[in-house]
Structure formats: structure tokens, C-alpha cells
Amino acid sequence: MPSTLPPGDPAPPNGALPTPALAGLGNRPFGVYVHVPFCATRCGYCDFNTYTPGELGSSASPQSWMEGLRRELDLAARVLGAPPAADTVFVGGGTPSLLGADGLAAVLDAVRSAFGLAPDAEVTTEANPESTSPEFFAGIRDAGYTRVSLGMQSAARHVLAVLDRKHTPGRAAAAAREAAAAGFEHLNLDLIYGTPGETEDDLRASLDAVLAAGVDHVSAYSLILEEGTALARRVHRGELPAPDDDVLADRYELVDDTLTAAGLGWYEVSNWAASTAARCRHNLGYWLGGDWWGAGPGAHSHVGGVRWWNVKHPARYAALLAEGTSPAAGREVLGDVERYEERVLLELRLAEGLPLAALAEEGVAEAGQAARDGLLDPDALAAGRCVLTRPGRLLADALVRRLLP
């Protein structure tokens, strides 16, 4: 996301959106994202907008954040006029489970109050395994949550140590079983592969643990060294080897083979689900160009081709809202070129692919060459869709650059 305002497009203090952005609101998927910026400790690989108690000091707290959140959601309802009921809600972070079941119930109550929920709304919260319990899962299920996404990352103790994860190797799978016992039908486990020191056998053991937990959704991401993180500094100092691209490709193929054989099919490059119902509808809203309001410090929003992002620090976020001012730090209005580029970038990652007709003339010609190169399915292309082969999934970002003029 851009960090500066495009010329002539300030973010107004009242958060008002251009009239054209509100046209068609409710005809597209509408989601609400809530960012919880709190973590007990900072993981070495993470560059998300999160804060530990020591980093915040007395400048902000879950209570001041919650007050700000309620104010922002009320602001959203005013800005959108007659906002549609939320089709999806996703509470992410950070570590939302640190709020406890009562805190997450209060978050969902605030969303209900501002927007309402569609009758079949998908309501997800992320959770760290070490801050959950059977009582926690029962509480959030009673509050109206329908889906839980647990950060597992690995089942290997030494891999968790490199990542600075605090849960024990078996805790994530145990937490998933506790959530299932509380009535959750839809459960995700996150994996990270390619961590320095991880072996192929380590990843196999992690996948075995995932499958034994019985979840219906898995997200698996290659480790990315983000500048400014503790892990990146360790690699730069030579304490740990950098991830190897060839190894990462092999690991992806192992993940895909194992999950596919177990009945979880890929529907996005890094996501596998046991059924259509198990897919994350909230994330599909992002990938398919839907509307969403992102509430919380550093959260990003998109409505009708206008995108904006909030100030990052929880104290500044709460202070602006207490003054009756929008917490938006900046925004941009997407033009035709930006919308086209984003559509190609995002839809191509999906198993259903991108309509060939959506591409410009140069892109259509390049798609034909990509099929001959083995990166796009030739049968799907003949039927009018650009669908990645598995080699294409491994080179998706490079292929996008080829398809764009």
C-alpha cells in the first residue's frame, strides 16, 4: 500500500467517501476486518502492525483500543449511509485470542451494532494456540463466531524456536480439536515452510499433525524474510541460512501433494480446503474485488475503488477517534489501470482462474505462450480461462508481470 497521499486526494477528517464509491454498495461482497494489535511477545519473522505490552507501555490498552473500535465502526456506518449487513467478519492481528472470549464477543457485538450480520455470515477469528482453551472456544462459539484460524506454523520444536513461537509442538492440533468439540465446523491451521533448519521430514511431520487434527482448511506460506525483523537480522549476520528458492519450491510441492491426497484441494495458491463451504469467504472477498471496512490501527479498507489505511499506533488511533476524527492516515482512488492490474494479480491466484477476456490484447497473446510454457492449463485456456498449473503457481508473480502490458 502507498504510504503517501496521491496528489489531490486527501483523506477527509470525517472519513467521507466520493459519491461514486458508494454506488453499488451491497451488490458486491461486503466484509468487516478488525485488527487487534496486541501480542504477548513478538515473533522473530513478523512485521505486522503489532505491539507487546513493553512496547506500548501506558500509552494504549485493550480498553482504549475497544473504545476506539466502537467509535470507528459507528463512523463507518455514518460514512456508508445505509451499510449492507456484513457477509463476513474477520478478526485478525496480532493475537485476537488475548482478548479472551468476552473481549471477542464485545468485538462482534460492536460489528453487529454498526452493520448487522447477514443470516449466513462467516465470522472468523485468528487465535494463537497458547492463548486458547476449551472454555475460550465454547465462549466465542456462543458469541456467534463460525470459524477459527490457528497459527500452528510447525510441529517441530526447533523450527518453532527459530520462529520465536511460544506454543509447544502439539498445542495447535490440540487446540483445533478443542475448537471442533466446541462446535466449530470450519477450522484453519496456518503453516510456514522453509524456515532455516527445517528438514523435509520436519514438514512431513507438520502435515501429518495437521491432517490428524481433522481441520477442513490449511494455509501454507513460504517463509519470507521481512526487513527489520529479528529473523532477517539473524540471517544477515550469518547466524542462519537464507531460505533457498529451490527448496521452497520442493516444499510447496510436498504440501500440495500431501493435502491433495488427503482431500483438501487448492483454491488459492497458498490455501487448501476440503470443500467449497470450507473456503474462507472473507479472503475470497479480497481476491474477487469486494468491499470491506478495515477497523483498527493500521487496518486497510476498500469500498468502490477507494482504498485507505489507518494510522498505525494504537494510542494515536484511539486519540483521533476520541476527537471525532477519522483515523485514516491516507487514501487513494484506484483508476482503471490500477483496477485492471489488481484484478489480474489477484484472480489469477485462484483455482477458477481469470477470464481470458479480462486481459488486454497483449496479455491474451502472452497467455497463449504461458500455456505453451506449461504455466497455464491449455484446456482451461481453450475454454476461455487462465488457470495456473502447479508450475504456474510456483511462478505466479512472474507470470502476472508477463500478462500485464
Side-chain angles (χ1 to χ4, degrees):
M1 295 291 183
S3 58
T4 58
L5 289 174
D9 187 33
N14 64 358
L17 292 172
T19 300
L22 300 176
L25 184 65
N27 296 331
R28 301 176 294 269
F30 179 73
V32 177
Y33 173 76
V34 175
H35 186 70
V36 181
F38 308 110
C39 282
T41 59
R42 181 172 296 282
C43 297
Y45 63 92
C46 179
D47 73 337
F48 293 165
N49 186 45
T50 62
Y51 303 83
T52 65
E55 291 167 340
L56 280 177
S58 60
S59 66
S61 67
Q63 292 73 33
S64 63
W65 166 83
M66 189 68 211
E67 291 169 5
L69 178 68
R70 290 193 180 98
R71 290 185 174 117
E72 185 181 3
L73 292 174
D74 289 343
L75 169 69
R78 294 195 300 273
V79 167
L80 298 179
D87 299 303
T88 64
V89 179
F90 196 106
V91 184
T95 310
S97 45
L98 285 178
L99 299 177
D102 289 346
L104 284 172
V107 168
L108 189 53
D109 284 344
V111 173
R112 278 198 194 95
S113 176
F115 299 106
L117 297 179
D120 63 342
E122 173 194 88
V123 183
T124 303
T125 185
E126 293 180 337
N128 276 5
E130 71 274 15
S131 55
T132 63
S133 66
E135 294 76 20
F136 168 82
F137 291 119
I140 62 171
R141 187 72 186 93
D142 288 344
Y145 286 81
T146 66
R147 188 172 179 276
V148 175
S149 179
L150 289 155
M152 176 178 175
Q153 319 315 350
S154 176
R157 189 179 300 275
H158 68 98
V159 174
L160 293 173
V162 171
L163 295 172
D164 291 321
R165 298 291 291 185
K166 301 306 177 186
H167 62 267
T168 57
R171 177 58 202 152
R177 288 189 284 270
E178 292 169 1
F184 283 96
E185 297 180 17
H186 300 306
L187 294 165
N188 172 66
L189 284 171
D190 275 346
L191 287 176
I192 290 177
Y193 57 88
T195 300
E198 179 193 60
T199 67
E200 184 174 301
D201 285 344
D202 290 331
L203 181 55
R204 288 185 188 278
S206 296
L207 290 165
D208 288 345
V210 165
L211 296 176
V215 298
D216 65 351
H217 191 286
V218 178
S219 299
Y221 306 100
S222 64
L223 179 69
I224 297 175
L225 291 179
E226 301 288 357
E227 289 302 319
T229 62
L231 185 57
R233 289 192 291 271
R234 294 185 67 189
V235 170
H236 292 330
R237 291 195 298 263
E239 297 173 15
L240 295 169
D244 179 271
D245 287 343
D246 290 336
V247 171
L248 293 176
D250 290 342
R251 296 286 194 269
Y252 180 88
E253 292 181 341
L254 173 58
V255 170
D256 188 48
D257 285 341
T258 303
L259 296 179
T260 300
L264 283 81
W266 80 281
Y267 72 98
E268 191 274 342
V269 168
S270 299
N271 290 272
W272 290 257
S275 66
T276 300
R279 296 178 177 186
C280 180
R281 287 165 45 201
H282 186 83
N283 286 343
L284 282 167
Y286 296 154
W287 297 320
L288 291 171
D291 295 326
W292 73 92
W293 192 289
H300 291 237
S301 303
H302 171 267
V303 173
V306 179
R307 183 163 53 209
W308 67 96
W309 48 98
N310 286 347
V311 296
K312 288 187 172 183
H313 200 280
R316 180 62 177 155
Y317 168 80
L320 285 170
L321 286 157
E323 296 166 2
T325 300
S326 165
R331 79 177 188 187
E332 63 174 345
V333 177
L334 302 178
D336 291 341
V337 172
E338 291 85 359
R339 289 194 187 208
Y340 170 66
E341 291 176 347
E342 290 200 357
R343 184 180 183 190
V344 174
L345 172 69
L346 296 173
E347 287 190 32
L348 189 66
R349 295 179 63 86
L350 298 174
E352 285 75 16
L354 173 77
L356 182 62
L359 291 173
E361 184 177 348
E362 301 93 329
V364 171
E366 193 61 48
Q369 183 58 52
R372 291 188 287 275
D373 294 341
L375 303 181
L376 292 177
D377 183 320
D379 294 334
L381 193 65
R385 298 198 73 83
C386 301
V387 175
L388 295 170
T389 61
R390 188 159 75 174
R393 281 185 263 162
L394 292 169
L395 297 170
D397 291 342
L399 181 54
V400 166
R401 290 192 291 272
R402 288 175 56 179
L403 297 179
L404 292 174

